[in-house]
Structure formats: C-alpha cells, structure tokens
Amino acid sequence: MAAAVAADAAVAESGLVIPDRQLIDFSEFLHPSSPHGRRATADAILHGFQTAGFVYLKNHPIPAATLQTAFARSADFFALPDEAKRALAWDSPVANRGYSSLGREKVTQLADAAAVDALRTAAPDLKESLEIGRDDEAGHPNKWPREQAQDQDQGQDQDQQKQQIRAGFHADMMRFFHLCRRLHLDVMRAVALGMGLDEEFFDPFLHVGDNTLRLLHYPGVKADVFRANPGQVRAGEHSDYGSITLLFQDSRGGLQVRSPTGHFVDATPIPGTIVVNAGDLLARWSNDTIKSTIHRVVEPPRDEEEHPPRYSIAYFCNANFASNVDTLPGTYASESDKKYEQINVGQYLAQRLAATY
C-alpha cells in the first residue's frame, strides 16, 4: 500500500493521472460483484488509456506461481553461455523471434537508421532479450534452446550440459504465452465496452494470436556507468508498437513513463499487479483518443554502487498480422477527421521493428 500511495503522489505532481489510485481490480470485469462492476471497470481502463496511456491491473487471472515459474525460467535462459544464446540470434523483423544480445537493439522514437545507430553507439541499451511468438506460424518457427533430457546421463560431457537448459522451458513458456493471450482478449473486450462498441468488436482481429512474449534481462551494472554517461539508460525512451503491452516487473525498479507535462515519473513496481500500457497501433486505431505513452528503463532509484540484475517480462499484444485496421467507429465525426489511413498490421509492425535493430 505504501508503494502505491507514494507512486500515486508522484504521478499526481507531474500531471499523470492514473484511475482508481493506480490500481484497477480486473476481477470486477471478469467476475463482477455488482451489476455495474463490469462496465465500471471497463470505463476505468479506457480512462487510464485515454489520460495516462497505462494502468495497473490487480486481481488478474495470471497465477502467481505461474509467473514465478516464468521468471525463474527466464533467469535460466540468460544464465546460458553466450555461445548457446547467440545460436538463437534474432535475424528478421518479419519473424521477430530469437535472442538479442546486449546492446544490439536500441529502442527509440527515432526512425532514421543512421540516427539510431549513432544513439546506439553513444548509449547502448543495457539489456538482452529473447522473443517468442506463437508456435504455429508457418515459416517462422520459434528459436528454442536445447533442453536437457529428463533422464539425462550424468556422465554427459560438462561443456555440452552447459549449452542446454533444464527440461520444460518450451512448455512453460508457451503455457505462459497462452495465459497472456487470453488476458489480452479480455482487456480488449474491456476497451471495446468502454468505447461503446460491441464487447466482442476486437475478437475477429485477435483470434490468431500474433503476439510476442519477450523475456528481458538487464545485467548488473556499476552506478559509475550512469555517472560517466548522463545519457546512459537500460532501455531508451520509446513507445510500444502494438495494441497493448502486458508488463511483469521484478522489484528492482527503474521503469519510468513520461507524463503530460513532459516529466518522467517512476512506474513503481507493485506486487501482484501487471502494468498494462497502450501501444502505437491502438492509439492510431483510436484516432489518438487513446495515448501511447513514452517510457524507458533507467538507473534504479537506489543508493548503491552496483545495481543487481533486473528481470522483466513483456507480452506485446497485436492485432492479427493479416488484418487491415481502420479508424474505430465513434472516434471521428467525418472522414476528414480521420488522422490515419488504413494499414496492414504485419507490414506496419515489421517496419517499426526494422528500425530498432
């Protein structure tokens, strides 16, 4: 509670308004305790997206034990030798699967490749990641680490063992992927209800599950690194590209969002919650009535000479790649009020990803 109150005070001072004192009880949408609970929750989520661009959800349907397993599995992966991880290297914005090594990706709002390269050289993102998509997309298989056999011979060569991850990584990650996929559908139903659309309006755009599960590791880093380069961050300021993002944080901190006044404020980790932010596609889809908020990961707000590793898990939710999306009904009075033309989702996302690698 103290963390929530402190965070609430910070956002209030900066002009960033989060509904319901930051926390939205999502169980009131899934299992409302009153006749108006479902609609009130939908309205609160939409209001959060319209004013701040993000909300915190509590009492969500992702079990704590499942999330704990996902974080443990993530740590297992990043503990693998560099050779094993680089064998799974990310190599295509269309596929968007695989491992991105420390400093390779530079998230930014810049679109010019040369400018991104210059920024990457001056202040590389201090993170590594693994991208996982749906497991049944033709032509774009996931890149899985080799798993140890359940009955693995204890006499196996030690070097070979080090290149393998504990058995069950693939199964655990896809189990988590599909739980997040279900939550994505529920959150978008809440958005539809809040916007006065049919609750299932977005369902035909989401049924394929063209989403990305991203495991993130920010290695331990000395505080001197940030002092020596004032522009150094763990992840540069950016907005997400898709419809919404489900973000699961550890307790280390460092995530910040930009308020309407232009100041960055801490998105303080609150145990048991998911940070859900709107992405550029949803902002575009809604004719900018929903905000896609700029955010970044900076030096943790702790007085320590060396910051321990930070782990987070992001689930990037998209419309189906084959879908063409146009401005949503109710967000414009006439055709001249539309800010954006219809776009193909897959092409749009590939273009955005290509600029960051």
Side-chain angles (χ1 to χ4, degrees), residues 8 11-18 51-54 257-260 265 293:
D8 190 56
V11 297
E13 291 176 3
S14 64
L16 191 63
V17 180
I18 310 297
T51 56
F54 82 103
V257 297
R258 193 169 72 186
S259 75
V265 297
T293 298

Side-chain angles (χ1 to χ4, degrees), residues 289-317:
T289 59
I290 286 174
K291 298 181 183 299
S292 179
T293 298
I294 304 294
H295 51 284
R296 65 186 184 182
V297 180
V298 299
E299 182 181 11
R302 300 167 185 261
D303 185 13
E304 51 195 1
E305 287 304 307
E306 185 166 355
H307 302 297
R310 176 182 185 265
Y311 294 87
S312 66
I313 299 175
Y315 187 79
F316 297 110
C317 305

Side-chain angles (χ1 to χ4, degrees), residues 95-109:
N96 192 29
R97 286 162 167 79
Y99 171 69
S100 180
S101 58
L102 188 67
R104 181 182 180 188
E105 182 196 27
K106 182 61 185 179
V107 287
T108 172
Q109 291 301 96

Side-chain angles (χ1 to χ4, degrees), residues 208-262:
V208 175
D210 282 327
N211 305 322
T212 300
L213 174 63
R214 166 177 264 199
L215 309 182
L216 283 153
H217 172 226
Y218 303 83
V221 59
K222 293 184 181 299
D224 286 347
V225 171
F226 298 98
R227 298 190 193 111
N229 185 356
Q232 184 63 65
V233 292
R234 278 179 152 175
E237 56 186 78
H238 65 286
S239 55
D240 292 341
Y241 308 147
S243 54
I244 63 172
T245 300
L246 311 178
L247 180 65
F248 305 85
Q249 301 188 75
D250 67 9
S251 62
R252 293 303 306 170
L255 175 67
Q256 294 184 330
V257 297
R258 193 169 72 186
S259 75
T261 64

